[in-house]
Amino acid sequence: MLGATPAFAESADGAPAGERGERQRQEAEDDAPPAERTERRRREPPYESSVVRGVTTQPASSIRVEVRYDVTYGYKAESGAFGGTGPTSCDAFSVVPTPEQPPPADRPVVISRNAQMVESGGAYVCEFLLSVLPLGKVTVETRVHEDDLTAPWRGGTQSQPPSGWRREIADGTRVVTLTDAEPRGSLSLVMRYAPTPDFVAPRRKNPLFER
């Protein structure tokens, strides 16, 4: 069984992987011409990404998102892209919040996730935390990355969707409302196998009329 507390993801220089990536991005931006820096900032979404140990106390103005799926579906890799050891699939999922009220430029939304998934009750579980959110309605879109829709995974007895099927998050778009009275939200989602939109099941022959 996987440990309940994922390891903190660190880079080779000892800094958290998310922090190192942000530092490298900032250095590249500082070296770019002014016009290019302005255009790049215009295109960037109003959030930052990081990998964390896991939050025991959920802060205000945040939404915790849990993605779980049956262990028979296996797992993507033996270790996470940002560190940690043991089976994990958390980087196969994308969680994107869209607040109804855009956040201030100096307070970007932060998207964090556990460096490692855990196993609980016959399911693998990945946790994401969307924090520094403005109050009001927040649309949260959770999906499986394109490259992981049908790719073979490891372990399990059904580690690849059958032909004509793919991995998907059931009801992956949700709306959460944060208020002064209820500044914290949570979502529990399930990854499952589902027919692709263009899949047509083979028609069975009727033995009474067809041979």
Side-chain angles (χ1 to χ4, degrees), residues 1-37:
M1 179 172 288
L2 301 179
T5 303
F8 189 80
E10 294 187 349
S11 60
D13 60 5
E19 292 181 9
R20 186 181 65 160
E22 175 62 19
R23 186 170 64 245
Q24 292 173 342
R25 183 195 67 78
Q26 186 62 52
E27 290 173 352
E29 181 174 307
D30 291 343
D31 293 337
E36 182 178 331
R37 290 202 301 269

Side-chain angles (χ1 to χ4, degrees), residues 59-96:
S61 300
S62 70
I63 300 172
R64 185 191 297 270
V65 180
E66 174 189 273
V67 178
R68 61 172 54 235
Y69 67 92
D70 197 286
V71 296
T72 60
Y73 292 169
Y75 52 89
K76 181 178 179 179
E78 294 288 352
S79 60
F82 297 101
T85 58
T88 188
S89 306
C90 296
D91 57 4
F93 307 123
S94 169
V95 182
V96 179

Side-chain angles (χ1 to χ4, degrees), residues 146 148-151 160-168 192-202:
E146 190 75 23
D148 294 297
L149 291 175
T150 60
Q160 184 174 22
S163 178
W165 292 62
R166 66 178 183 180
R167 299 179 181 92
E168 74 166 21
R192 64 185 182 185
Y193 288 174
T196 57
D198 57 348
F199 176 69
V200 178

